[in-house]
Amino acid sequence: MNTEKALLRFLTCGSVDDGKSTLIGRLLYDTASIYDDQLTRLTQDSKRIGTQRDGLDFALLVDGLEAEREQGITIDVAYRYFSTDTRKFIIADAPGHEQYTRNMATAASVCDVAVILIDARFGVQTQTRRHSFICALMGIQHVIVAVNKMDAVQFDQAVYKQIQQDYLALIGQLDIPDVRFVPMCALTGDNVVHPSEQMPWFRGQPLLHYLHGIDVQQARAGEHFRFPVQRVSRPSASFRGYQGRITSGSIQVGDSIRLMSTGAVSRITDIRLGEQSLSQAQAPQSVTLCIADALDVSRGDLLVDKQHLSQLSDRLRARVLWFAARPLEPGAQFTLQFLTKQTRARVERLHHQIDVNSFAEVPAVMLSCNDIGVVDLRCAESVAFDDYVSHRETGAFLLVDNTTGQTVAAGMVQRALPRAGSASTPAAAGQSDVEGNPNANIRWHVPSVTSHERAAVRGHRPCVVWFTGLSGSGKSTLAHALDRRLFDMGCQSFVLDGDNLRHGLNKDLGFTPESRSENVRRTAEVAKLLTDAGIIVNAAIISPFTEDRATVRAHLSEAVDFLEVFVDTPLEECERRDPKNLYKRARAGEIANFTGISSPYETPVAPDVHLYPAKDSIEDCVEQVFQALVNRGILTQT
Amino acid sequence: MGDSTSVNQSLSHLAQLESEAIAIFREVVAQMANPVLLYSIGKDSSVLLHLARKAFAPEPLPFPLLHIDTTWKFREMIAFRDATAEKFGLDLHVYTQPQGQADGLTPFSHGSARYTDVMKTQALREALARGAYDAAFGGARRDEERSRAKERVFSHRNSEQRWDPKNQRPELWGIFNGACGPGESFRVFPLSNWTEQDIWQYIAAENIAIPSLYFAKERPCVQRDGKWFMVDDDRFPLLENEQPVLKRVRFRTLGCYPLTAAIESDATTVAEIIEEMAHIRVSEREGRLIDSDSPHAMEQKKREGYF
């Protein structure tokens, strides 16, 4: 007998009466996983309460709790086991009943493969969409669509083809890379374990064949190393080890690791499993790690690959699946529980709800039981985590009701948000609005020299002159010309040039809309610092999106003026000048997301100053901006 | 299990089951104040204990063991229990239901249902309450019985130690919500995803000691209702004209000897047991009498606080 089998966990989902229990019973029966006494009882039960007049009612093998048997439906997740010569299988039997999204998500959370049943007579149903969506939401990468009850449609290939087509249209909207189809009749066992003689037109393989072929473990061991510390073991002065389970990747003695909470780096000196020392270990092994340095590691910390870090923040955005009878509303507080880390958290914002049938984002003021939504959460302390898509175990969490102790939501991190107190959440600065926050270790220090005092010494107030326009429109030239004029009259000013910043501060950013927004955000942060220092900032940056420019304006202190200067050079003129040959390359398709060519420029509707460098001279343009500064009272001593 | 694997080579199903169980043990010790391991001496308990020790090595086991002694266990089980505690330096607590013992409650005189209720279910509840344990590890597996298939790994019990199938917490991603009100507790099953076959393969792979009752040997037996029972001591009430005969038998599960049927077998090593298992055609609970009392015997017992 083979004792080195692989292990595969899969869930089964289908609507009521799709034949899910029958399929599971058939899998157990055809793999000889049912004992004689169980078979005897099945035979008796089939005669007494079975739905199959003559044969065995395989569904009776897997129905469990008394109440369910009487109602004839499965109301919770049930786990079944069978093995073949090469694999052990764990089936998470997820219910088909409409209101039990929670149970299906629970089953999917521990599985790598989903078998989705479709009744050949009815085709793709609303619930098929829902089940597929939840599978995608929970990160299932492999779906096998079992088109069941083919006997009821005379094993007609056309019916199967139509369902296949309908399903492919549906799944195209979801992120599930691997989808296979099997036409079957679970009741008679056609294409379950053994090939069907009724469907010679089917060139694929029976279900079990596919279940044998899918390899999920290799993929996980190849991911970045993650080790959530469960417990610190200190039995004696001479031993200190960190107990936990490797959730992804692998580790060897001698490897460098990083402690996410402090950023400290150390080296693995020992990997222990029981009394043994291992030279290496991989996900999902539970081990005890010893490291070279005496770092301050405690339960809830995350040890990660030195190069490929997790995220660290006290704010995050996540999809949540709400389980409780009372609704989820913004402001509610919970215990947030990652695999080994617990902290208090508050719902800062509910962005929207996701309709599980249409997959559309719909506005919502609360989430009801079984709803799925996107929320921003603010934690009482900084926590290390990953996004769920890239690292399942370290990107998943529960929300626990502080009063009842019940698990009220399952969460999947989408991304970290800037920390509370950082510039992107000015309202949060210096506040501690999470109850009992013991760890608001980042405080906002109010400067002792006020901006009024600085202005009095310098003879001008700080402000931001924001030159926006197409590439090659003349923004930098104008910004530098204004800078010279201001400097010559004794003002303290400085140019923030978009291109220059991309050589340093922003060199990790590309030109996608997200990167452009981040580019603007960072530039705004620097501009804010400079204005806090009392300086007039001349920023030259394409900043094509209205929303980003508005964000910059809103972001500055109230006392600081913001002048939006639209450098309105027509695209044809910019393209004619093309000082850096960028337009030519963009036209040739060599540069993606090029503003004006392949990426939009949203024209300012009401700029503070509107310049036309194509017809006015540089001096005239600078004069216009200068006058605007005078009119605003920026230059107090002129 | 670990030393035979190399990086990026698939872990065997046993290595994965082991890893999962170890993570469960550690999580309970990290979150709960006062856990205990329910030790019932059989093969599942032996695996459970082995995994617990492996989870915390080189530390000693950070929780005690509790054995509910009905006084009707096989004599060899008690000897094995005490030798195991001695060998590993375990903190072993033994509890027997005092009233039942005083009343001379036996499976022969009061029937298996009443006897099980007092000497096992009630005894367990009393012992857990007296120890103020907030988590109790058990060796139950989901493959043992139909209603167990839905049991959580972390099964929440209310302050009466009752299991409410409608009020259990969903278990996602192996994250354990151990929030516990006053008097509430958890029953924790690290072997939930193991099958009988997994247990035997793991015993073989890790060379785990088990009572010799699992191995075939000539033992004095009588036949009742077509099943063989071992006459382990002189408390076994023989019927008129009934004489124990020597049969070559072994036990598939261990419990109270008057309630545990033997199977005829020649398997004397773990390897032979595994070989025999591959051909055996009845489930292991077939040898236990308490399950067949009523159609939903197991489920009712569970609601009442039986393991």
Side-chain angles (χ1 to χ4, degrees), chain A residues 247-383:
Chain A
T247 54
S248 61
S250 59
I251 191 83
Q252 300 190 30
V253 171
D255 281 357
S256 290
I257 50 92
R258 196 184 294 269
L259 173 64
M260 274 307 299
S261 60
T262 64
V265 172
S266 189
R267 194 169 39 79
I268 301 289
T269 54
D270 196 4
I271 303 171
R272 300 190 57 132
L273 175 58
E275 302 292 337
Q276 295 177 325
S277 280
L278 314 178
S279 58
Q280 54 198 6
Q282 69 185 75
Q285 275 183 295
S286 286
V287 290
T288 301
L289 298 181
C290 301
I291 60 176
D293 304 277
L295 303 182
D296 183 18
V297 182
S298 52
R299 172 172 164 82
D301 274 337
L302 196 57
L303 301 181
V304 305
D305 181 307
K306 193 180 85 176
Q307 303 297 341
H308 301 98
L309 306 188
S310 298
Q311 316 198 48
L312 186 71
S313 183
D314 60 355
R315 296 175 67 245
L316 58 91
R317 183 164 299 165
R319 286 174 162 184
V320 292
L321 218 150
W322 184 248
F323 295 152
R326 73 179 168 81
L328 169 83
E329 288 170 294
Q333 297 196 27
F334 303 98
T335 296
L336 187 154
Q337 188 170 4
F338 282 101
L339 198 58
T340 67
K341 177 70 183 178
Q342 272 181 301
T343 184
R344 292 225 165 190
R346 187 171 63 84
V347 178
E348 273 189 341
R349 193 173 158 194
L350 170 59
H351 289 272
H352 54 256
Q353 189 186 330
I354 303 170
D355 185 312
V356 293
N357 299 323
S358 67
F359 314 149
E361 295 175 358
V362 290
V365 291
M366 62 177 198
L367 294 181
S368 303
C369 190
N370 285 315
D371 281 353
I372 297 160
V374 174
V375 298
D376 289 351
L377 291 168
R378 166 127 180 235
C379 305
E381 59 187 306
S382 280
V383 185

Side-chain angles (χ1 to χ4, degrees), chain B residues 4-20:
Chain B
S4 61
T5 63
S6 66
V7 169
N8 292 343
Q9 178 185 318
S10 283
L11 289 180
S12 72
H13 70 298
L14 291 180
Q16 291 193 54
L17 292 171
E18 175 190 73
S19 168
E20 179 180 82

